[in-house]
Amino acid sequence: MDFLKQLGINKTNYGSSTGQKWNQTKTEGELTIHSPVDGKFIASVYQGSEKDYENIMKSMEEAFLHWREMPAPARGEIVRQIGLKLREYKEPLGKLVSYEMGKSLQEGLGEVQEMIDICDFAVGQSRQLYGFTMQSERPMHRMYDQYHPLGIVCTISAFNFPVAVYAWNAMLAAVCGDVNIWKPSSKVPLSAIATQNIIAKVLKENNLPEGIFTLIVGKGSTLGERILNDKRVAMVSVTGSTRVGKHAAEVVSARFGKTILELGGNNAIIITKDADLKIAIPAVVFGAVGTAGQRCTSTRRLIIHESIYNKVKDTLLKAYKSLRIGNPLDQKNHMGPLIDKNAVNDFTNALKRVKKEGGKIIFGGNVLSGKGYESGCYISPAIVEAQNHFEIVQEETFAPILYIMKYKKSIDEAIALQNGVVQGLSSSIFTNNILEAERFLSCAGSDCGIANVNIGTSGAEIGGAFGGEKETGGGRESGSDSWKAYMRRQTNTINFGSKLPLAQGIKFDI
């Protein structure tokens, strides 16, 4: 395929890089990557070793001493050039993301656009790493706070967004003066290798040292644990399941490191009797089936006022019947495959469990076979009538299952259902009633990190802080003031007088 050649992806590839050079290790096992689109072999990747990791860490320790001394706007200039280079490679990288992961081509291209957008955002942020000036109670004193780079940071990314989440972290960390090691999902390493190849071009063009942007593909049980336990890694950003994030938080916090946790979501949309269904239904369908339900912000629960329940259900069924499922590189299709057969098993097992608990499947839920579905990863998205308290509804199944349920009277009842799960990532309400909308956004409303009115749960823009509460982990990435997580805060006091007054009026004469 032409896009593989354009991105420097060979039949066999090395999985660890100090930034511009690839370690040549072949002893740690070889990942063979097959596309969930058609089941065909794409390429293989030699996993990195612990020796490779040490080489990378040494290069990063040296690079940080240089990188932190560069003015932040100069670091921003490098990130600007990375954004320009990504524009050059947007189409081939978007195709690779789509083919390797299985999301639609539009979503693959959109993911690369997110990388470009966060580069642009980070360039502006490089001139706005603001601290604050405070008034001192002591005469002839000035107080202020400022932010300094943390050092080495790590991005551990998941398969569902092979490149965008990395860029959210790495580009902001870079303008903050940090150096970044990336451990991508072993399910989608080729997209990471391609991204590293693109970034390496910019580093080489600017005569920058090894160790600023690095990559290692390898086992979580060895390399992943090594990173979590390594005191040289000041901060670890983890995107993954709640189980994985909990373990990472425990290990990293035990050595007093920092974490950014972006974990599970169990996102709901409330549709009130005052909703505009012309915009609500498309939002629900995209939220539920986009990326085949494999976004952490995918819509998993739909809470509908009883007076319009049957109307919404019938309209949803009609919309689902019109969905085209197939090769995601064909832009006529709405939904591609799940990432692998394990995900298919999770999908079918979840449906068995919800039926056992009393749920009713009213659409889909089948594994598709035949021409075009040879990979065994294609399924028909499911709509299930269920209750919020069902055990399986309380869990996050990373697949296109939409649980629909009623609420009877007040918006507070609907909000209680929305909040009645352990996750707290994204939430939405569709209503034209301003009182309901404001109630949903108030302190008595949604308990999620993201709360939307008249738009869906997925498709967040990079300008806002992304993340959630409760078992979603509490981390924030991307926009707003998320950059502060990649820096250490320092309070400074300067005495420009000839005396030494103490705070709180304390006297200490000698």
Side-chain angles (χ1 to χ4, degrees):
M1 296 180 176
D2 288 343
F3 60 83
L4 296 176
K5 185 177 180 181
Q6 288 175 271
L7 296 166
I9 301 298
N10 303 309
K11 185 177 179 181
T12 57
N13 304 269
Y14 294 107
S16 68
S17 171
T18 54
Q20 301 172 55
K21 299 175 184 176
W22 293 92
N23 294 306
Q24 308 292 301
T25 300
K26 295 184 178 181
T27 59
E28 301 303 307
E30 186 177 2
L31 300 173
T32 55
I33 308 304
H34 294 78
S35 172
V37 173
D38 53 20
K40 293 181 179 179
F41 171 78
I42 310 174
S44 67
V45 178
Y46 292 115
Q47 297 185 105
S49 66
E50 293 195 53
K51 183 178 178 181
D52 292 337
Y53 175 74
E54 283 303 318
N55 289 338
I56 289 171
M57 292 301 293
K58 182 179 178 181
S59 72
M60 294 181 77
E61 287 180 301
E62 294 173 357
F64 175 60
L65 300 179
H66 169 79
W67 189 244
R68 70 181 180 182
E69 295 279 9
M70 287 180 63
R75 299 191 294 256
E77 168 58 21
I78 302 303
V79 171
R80 185 187 73 85
Q81 292 180 35
I82 292 172
L84 292 176
K85 196 69 72 175
L86 286 167
R87 285 174 169 88
E88 292 179 31
Y89 288 92
K90 178 179 176 179
E91 184 173 349
L93 185 55
K95 285 182 178 178
L96 176 56
V97 168
S98 178
Y99 190 59
E100 186 179 28
M101 186 267 157
K103 62 175 59 178
S104 73
L105 180 57
Q106 280 295 310
E107 290 182 272
L109 293 171
E111 187 168 341
V112 182
Q113 186 61 50
E114 277 193 71
M115 300 177 78
I116 294 166
D117 291 344
I118 199 64
C119 284
D120 290 350
F121 183 93
V123 173
Q125 191 67 68
S126 71
R127 295 180 181 271
Q128 301 178 83
L129 303 177
Y130 295 133
F132 294 96
T133 300
M134 291 78 73
Q135 297 301 313
S136 174
E137 67 185 65
R138 291 169 284 186
M140 309 293 280
H141 281 60
R142 180 165 67 89
M143 292 177 61
Y144 68 95
D145 61 22
Q146 61 178 329
Y147 292 85
H148 295 302
L150 280 176
I152 296 173
V153 300
C154 174
T155 302
I156 299 176
S157 61
F159 77 85
N160 59 329
F161 279 84
V163 293
V165 171
Y166 161 71
W168 289 0
N169 286 275
M171 298 307 136
L172 283 179
V175 299
C176 290
D178 300 324
V179 294
N180 188 92
I181 180 171
W182 181 13
K183 186 182 182 302
S185 167
S186 294
K187 295 183 179 182
V188 287
L190 300 177
S191 295
I193 291 169
T195 299
Q196 186 70 36
N197 286 337
I198 293 168
I199 292 174
K201 295 177 187 293
V202 175
L203 300 177
K204 186 175 181 179
E205 289 167 2
N206 287 274
N207 296 314
L208 289 168
E210 298 285 328
I212 299 173
F213 297 96
T214 71
L215 171 72
I216 193 157
V217 177
K219 299 173 184 176
S221 58
T222 54
L223 291 175
E225 289 301 311
R226 186 75 175 270
I227 291 168
L228 297 181
N229 284 281
D230 194 337
K231 291 184 177 181
R232 294 170 295 181
V233 182
M235 191 270 286
V236 182
S237 174
V238 181
T239 301
S241 67
T242 297
R243 178 187 60 81
V244 169
K246 183 179 180 181
H247 172 68
E250 290 173 348
V251 175
V252 177
S253 64
R255 60 174 176 84
F256 295 97
K258 296 177 67 175
T259 56
I260 297 175
L261 302 177
E262 298 291 353
L263 311 177
N266 195 347
N267 317 295
I269 292 178
I270 297 170
I271 298 185
T272 79
K273 61 183 178 181
D274 293 316
D276 182 347
L277 297 185
K278 294 192 299 296
I279 62 171
I281 298 300
V284 171
V285 177
F286 176 73
V289 308
T291 325
Q294 297 171 117
R295 292 186 178 215
C296 48
T297 54
S298 290
T299 306
R300 310 212 179 274
R301 296 174 295 137
L302 189 60
I303 302 164
I304 310 162
H305 191 274
E306 63 175 2
S307 65
I308 57 169
Y309 181 83
N310 289 331
K311 182 179 181 180
V312 171
K313 181 173 75 171
D314 292 344
T315 308
L316 269 179
L317 288 170
K318 183 179 179 181
Y320 267 59
K321 289 174 183 176
S322 71
L323 292 173
R324 293 184 294 274
I325 302 166
N327 190 320
L329 294 173
D330 181 348
Q331 298 196 54
K332 293 179 182 178
N333 291 324
H334 297 100
M335 192 182 96
L338 293 174
I339 184 65
D340 54 28
K341 291 182 181 179
N342 288 334
V344 174
N345 291 335
D346 289 343
F347 171 75
T348 56
N349 289 336
L351 293 176
K352 290 176 184 176
R353 286 180 60 188
V354 76
K355 286 175 67 176
K356 189 175 181 180
E357 290 192 68
K360 180 181 179 183
I361 300 172
I362 60 174
F363 184 88
N366 306 308
V367 179
L368 303 179
S369 60
K371 187 176 180 180
Y373 303 133
E374 290 87 355
S375 71
C377 297
Y378 290 88
I379 49 91
S380 58
I383 302 175
V384 183
E385 291 186 301
Q387 298 297 318
N388 203 56
H389 65 266
F390 289 177
E391 285 187 10
I392 187 61
V393 176
Q394 290 284 311
E395 298 174 12
E396 178 190 42
T397 303
F398 228 50
I401 302 174
L402 180 65
Y403 300 113
I404 64 173
M405 58 198 75
K406 301 176 185 177
Y407 77 97
K408 293 182 179 181
K409 295 182 180 179
S410 72
I411 190 61
D412 286 344
E413 179 188 349
I415 291 170
L417 289 170
Q418 133 71 37
N419 292 345
V421 293
V422 295
Q423 308 87 353
L425 179 52
S426 187
S427 58
S428 298
I429 188 171
F430 280 83
T431 182
N432 286 333
N433 182 323
I434 191 171
L435 301 182
E436 291 180 329
E438 290 293 342
R439 183 66 172 172
F440 180 74
L441 298 177
S442 75
C443 62
S446 170
D447 64 2
C448 293
I450 299 169
N452 298 326
V453 175
N454 292 334
I455 63 170
T457 59
S458 62
E461 297 181 36
I462 60 94
F466 181 91
E469 301 301 319
K470 300 190 291 188
E471 290 191 7
T472 301
R476 293 297 185 274
E477 296 171 328
S478 195
S480 187
D481 66 348
S482 298
W483 61 271
K484 293 180 179 179
Y486 307 94
M487 305 196 82
R488 58 182 176 87
R489 187 171 186 162
Q490 184 180 79
T491 300
N492 306 118
T493 306
I494 301 169
N495 179 358
F496 56 93
S498 59
K499 297 181 180 180
L500 188 67
L502 301 178
Q504 293 85 50
I506 294 173
K507 300 296 183 182
F508 187 74
D509 296 325
I510 58 173

